[in-house]
Amino acid sequence: MRVYMKKNITAYSGKDIDAGVVYSSHNNGHVCFAKNYSKPRQTDQHVLFTQYMKAIREIWNAAKDGFKADMKTYAYLVKVNLPDKLKATSYALFVKLAYAIIKEYNYAPNNVDVSMFIDEGCTNVLEAINSGFLWQVPGSEELTSDIS
């Protein structure tokens, strides 16, 4: 069945809240699927993920500017020196670091705070690299600004 969109749009991605429909385009815009939007049910995994991410965001917001600058420099060094790795922002790499520590030492969401980094010896980017939580890259020896 051929469907013609409003305003002569050939392909569209997004959702129409009024109609309750989600659109997605495929095959370089030649095919457009439409389906009813249904909100996913909330599971225990969603709740746990939300708790961890809120705690990690609070740590990031409380971190010193020097540490954030070092994470930004580290993200640039990863982009330049490790072309096979995913190009990530400083915050994304910080989340990677936090989840690596959480997984290694089995932290519960209510125990995730700045002291987690201090207790596990990852107060700066260089220590996190030496602990094996972040990739080793040339030029990372100077990334020594503490998180708190």
Side-chain angles (χ1 to χ4, degrees), residues 17-70:
I17 296 171
D18 297 332
V21 178
V22 177
Y23 299 100
S24 61
S25 64
H26 297 281
N27 197 13
N28 294 326
H30 295 300
V31 179
C32 183
F33 294 107
K35 64 180 183 175
N36 290 335
Y37 175 75
S38 59
K39 186 176 180 180
R41 63 184 173 87
Q42 191 172 19
T43 64
D44 294 338
Q45 181 66 25
H46 291 124
V47 173
L48 189 64
F49 178 76
T50 302
Q51 291 172 346
Y52 277 124
M53 288 308 297
K54 283 181 181 177
I56 291 169
R57 172 53 83 179
E58 288 175 10
I59 297 169
W60 178 256
N61 289 339
K64 289 184 177 178
D65 290 335
F67 178 79
K68 290 179 182 180
D70 281 357

Side-chain angles (χ1 to χ4, degrees), residues 104-122:
E104 180 75 22
Y105 298 103
N106 295 322
Y107 278 96
N110 58 346
N111 294 333
V112 175
D113 58 3
V114 154
S115 65
M116 172 182 81
F117 290 88
I118 297 167
D119 294 344
E120 307 311 334
C122 294

Side-chain angles (χ1 to χ4, degrees), residues 88-138:
T89 64
S90 56
Y91 179 70
L93 290 170
F94 178 75
V95 171
K96 175 191 180 307
L97 170 62
Y99 266 105
I101 293 171
I102 289 167
K103 183 178 177 183
E104 180 75 22
Y105 298 103
N106 295 322
Y107 278 96
N110 58 346
N111 294 333
V112 175
D113 58 3
V114 154
S115 65
M116 172 182 81
F117 290 88
I118 297 167
D119 294 344
E120 307 311 334
C122 294
T123 58
N124 59 48
V125 177
L126 183 59
E127 289 177 359
I129 292 169
N130 292 338
S131 297
F133 294 119
L134 294 175
W135 301 299
Q136 181 71 39
V137 291

